[in-house]
Amino acid sequence: MAAQIWYENDGDLSVLEGKKVAIIGYGSQGHAHALNLRDSGVDVVVGLRPTSKSVEHAKEQGLEVKSVPEAAAEADIIMILAPDQYQRTIWANDIEPNIKPGAAVAFAHGFNIHYGYIKPTEDHPVFMVAPKGPGHIVRREYANGRGVPVVVAVEQDPRGDAWDITLAYAKALGALRAGAIKTTFTEETETDLFGEQDVLMGGINHLCDMGFDVLTEAGYQPEIAYFEVCHELKMLVDLMNEGGLNKARWSCSDTAQYGDYTSTVITEETKKRMQYQLKRIQDGSFAKEFMDDQDAGAPKFKQLQEEYGNVRIETVGPKLRAMFSWNNGKDDDADMATFTGKIARG
């Protein structure tokens, strides 16, 4: 069965006329959604904690900023873009007591709806517009007259207009220039978590780390090991984005291709482990473990972040990345400090 995909002519911005859209959060996705919708002629207010450092930044961008309860109280559509672990508290404390009857509630990831951490009453349309790219790319592509694809879903449709609102929102975001693929909250949540845990993060990151250890423990120079198991990964990913796995394969040497086809590192046993992880995602075990840890102050998360943030490959990478002019000082000690600081403040 072919996926249903909507494009520019399928969305009607007039659906959003006379409606106030509250963007809750002004991080990676929040700033892109707020600015793109504003530039598409939508009436936008950004909801933030009064003490948030993002307040002044959003105001500098010409956006209206109010507290989350104030923004929620006047909004016809509320897009919640805070991190997953904070959304239910924001909903319970600031949004649910103030939301208008019948106001639509929106998300860019299905986690809290799918696992039941947020349960809007039946009079609220609930929909999702989830960009397949980070916020700065969503904003950049919009400004360049293009768009980033999204997946879209409707969970509750009490009035029968939820899909019209969803596609209008996606159009205002610039996403229908590229395309919006129909999904469900369940499908988006479970496949997104699986991809992160077993391929994109938990797969590739651990392969790089383990490959580095195997080579250096065998006596090879750490710098050479880094280049071979980590640095060249970007080339392959770029080729995959351009033309899929086959382009990545035929762009490399025959030797590399043959080694790819005959490798026994990723086996049926790996697939079984992936299936086990998928079951934990499907039955809510992963979500519960993560949220319970967050509720306790994230001790396990912080421990793991410290542990994996200091593996040997990370002691070699910074000086090698500095050799490449295109990095322009983008690497990382400052970025990592900011990243870990966010966790500490969480």
Side-chain angles (χ1 to χ4, degrees), residues 22 60 63 174 179 183 192 194 228 311:
E60 288 170 2
L63 292 161
T183 186
D192 184 79
F194 176 82
E228 298 303 335
V311 292

Side-chain angles (χ1 to χ4, degrees), residues 12 19 21 27-28 50 64 66 100 119 123 130 133 142 155 202 209 230 234 267 277:
D12 182 0
K19 290 182 171 63
V21 177
S28 174
E64 180 184 16
K66 294 188 176 182
K100 287 181 180 180
K119 297 178 180 179
D123 63 307
Y142 177 94
E155 184 76 6
D209 185 18
C230 189
K234 183 182 185 304
T267 66
Q277 289 297 111

Side-chain angles (χ1 to χ4, degrees), residues 332-342 345:
D332 63 356
D333 289 341
D335 291 342
M336 179 56 73
T338 300
F339 176 60
T340 53
K342 288 180 181 176
R345 292 192 297 274

Side-chain angles (χ1 to χ4, degrees), residues 1-5 181-182:
M1 181 178 174
Q4 184 167 359
I5 305 177
I181 302 175
K182 184 179 182 181

Side-chain angles (χ1 to χ4, degrees), residues 213-262:
D213 284 347
V214 168
L215 286 177
T216 54
E217 287 167 9
Y220 298 102
Q221 296 180 74
E223 292 80 5
I224 301 300
Y226 180 88
F227 280 130
E228 298 303 335
V229 304
C230 189
H231 170 74
E232 292 189 20
L233 188 62
K234 183 182 185 304
M235 173 194 71
L236 282 173
V237 171
D238 287 346
L239 290 167
M240 288 177 197
N241 275 333
E242 292 171 11
L245 295 178
N246 283 335
K247 181 169 184 177
R249 283 176 168 137
W250 60 250
S251 297
C252 296
S253 68
D254 290 351
T255 315
Q257 284 188 60
Y258 189 80
D260 173 3
Y261 302 142
T262 60

Side-chain angles (χ1 to χ4, degrees), residues 189-210:
T189 302
E190 293 178 357
T191 57
D192 184 79
L193 292 176
F194 176 82
E196 290 169 351
Q197 294 175 27
D198 294 295
V199 180
L200 304 177
M201 301 290 289
I204 290 172
N205 285 356
H206 288 293
L207 276 174
C208 291
D209 185 18
M210 195 170 292

